[in-house]
Amino acid sequence: MHLNHETDAAAADPIPFDDFLKVDIRIGTIVEAEPFPEARKPAFKLKIDFGPAIGIKKSSAQIVDRYTLDELVGRQIAAVVNFPPRQIGKYLSEVLTLGFADATGAVILFAPDVPVPNGSRLF
């Protein structure tokens, strides 16, 4: 994650376009959302369906300030699917769910504005 989430932060250092292509960002549909009370920072446990090629993956997402569990299931979101899994307490987060901070610092999920097939890749 970026260390500075401020809107007035300078752009990150330039990278070659080929480095961008290495990051695999896909669309998936949240099929399950649970509380994650053991997390150090408030978070939810998500199961996200990325279609037949990738399948269902788990993610820990710090989105409790903006979303309820009930409104998450069925929502499409974007995630990085090719980072190594990360152990968050006793939970293994397999993908990085993407979002942006709103004016108060709460995370707003990054998602398409119309439905697209699960597994669709950002380009």
Side-chain angles (χ1 to χ4, degrees), residues 96-112:
L96 175 64
T97 301
L98 300 176
F100 295 90
D102 69 9
T104 68
V107 176
I108 305 300
L109 291 168
F110 184 48

Side-chain angles (χ1 to χ4, degrees), residues 22-105:
K22 293 176 186 175
V23 180
D24 193 353
I25 299 173
R26 304 284 184 116
I27 294 298
T29 300
I30 299 171
V31 295
E32 190 175 312
E34 300 178 10
F36 190 7
E38 307 86 12
R40 260 186 334 174
K41 294 181 181 179
F44 292 139
K45 295 178 186 178
L46 306 177
K47 288 188 180 174
I48 307 163
D49 182 359
F50 291 99
I54 296 172
I56 296 175
K57 298 292 181 182
K58 300 183 299 183
S59 182
S60 170
Q62 296 173 3
I63 56 174
V64 300
D65 292 337
R66 187 64 169 76
Y67 300 95
T68 65
L69 293 170
D70 291 339
E71 67 185 310
L72 289 170
V73 174
R75 178 183 290 264
Q76 285 197 304
I77 55 89
V80 176
V81 298
N82 67 330
F83 285 158
R86 185 171 179 192
Q87 194 72 45
I88 314 274
K90 294 182 179 182
Y91 190 72
L92 186 65
S93 187
E94 300 173 302
V95 299
L96 175 64
T97 301
L98 300 176
F100 295 90
D102 69 9
T104 68

